[in-house]
Amino acid sequence: MDLSSSPTESRTGQEIYQRLARNIQTVIKGQNASIRKLLAAFFSGGHVLLDDYPGTGKTTLAKALACSVDIAFKRIQFTPDLLPSDILGVSVLNPKDQSFQFHAGPIFANLILADEINRASPRTQSALLEAMAESQVSIEGQVRILHDPFFVIATQNPVDSRGTYPLPEAQMDRFAVQFSLGYISAEEEVEILSNQTQQSPMAKLRPCLALEDILTLKQAVQQVEVSPEIKRYIVNIVNATRQAEGVQIGASPRGSIALMKIAQALALFDGYSVVRPKHIQEMAVAVLAHRLVVDPQARFSGKTADQIIREIVKRLSVPG
């Protein structure tokens, strides 16, 4: 069935998204835009890096998604002594028959929360590279395919650099989206306090989607039409990052692909069967900014990757 030409399928995808978003919003208050970005990455096959201050709800958002979908969830607390085998798994000798049996690590789940990912050593961080890029891992000379869906949500604190290892550019490029939650309004914070007086809302959260719903929506996202004009618009934005003043390294073609797929998800969420320019503009910063390397002089003058992307989007002509 051609989902891009079926209004019924578009409505079905939109209804599945709205059901999941409403379920998460019972726990996460005042973060509708962040939930939209998270779910766009989830259903388009990307991974998410949440970069924000402690206590803003990064871990809670990941756990709320995990509790709202009926799939396997694992949380990995990254620490300096964490080893790659703690993530991937290891073969253990069975004394009964003197054979080695593989014990799968937490990476063999559908949804992974990599908490404080920058606190582990680069060797351990690199254990996620193949998994995030190809949904497979190579262990002891054998390739093992990960589950579908496979979704990584990583968190890090942007201000506490003690005992941390900055993520290399290659790993940053594996994240389809990076964003911050930020602080909510006073009224929304009062609502959070009221909800916490007796029992945490997380304890009452129940799955609202089955695996079949997730796979249905992922397939529908892939079928959303992207016109040649929109593809050229995406490429123009990404190319502009490579030529922008103050940028040492611009976004890669992987950034173009991620922006297109994320926009497809947003279009489906909004009930469209085709991607609109507004979907590209909405996610350009979240998808591309973390892929840029800004030179030291530009950083010293106060220029950020977010500002550079916004200036590019504002400057370029929008397809009709």
Side-chain angles (χ1 to χ4, degrees), residues 25-43:
Q25 288 163 4
T26 61
V27 174
I28 306 296
K29 303 297 182 181
Q31 297 289 358
N32 293 354
S34 296
I35 293 172
R36 179 174 163 91
K37 292 175 185 175
L38 180 75
L39 297 185
F42 180 49
F43 289 113

Side-chain angles (χ1 to χ4, degrees), residues 159-175:
V159 294
D160 186 4
S161 60
R162 292 172 296 179
T164 62
Y165 302 86
L167 298 179
E169 285 77 13
Q171 180 128 15
M172 292 293 289
D173 205 35
R174 259 63 175 191
F175 288 103

Side-chain angles (χ1 to χ4, degrees), residues 6-18 268 271-272:
S6 172
T8 301
E9 292 294 344
S10 296
R11 287 197 299 271
T12 300
Q14 187 181 31
E15 290 165 1
I16 293 174
Y17 158 71
Q18 290 175 346
L268 189 70
Y272 295 115

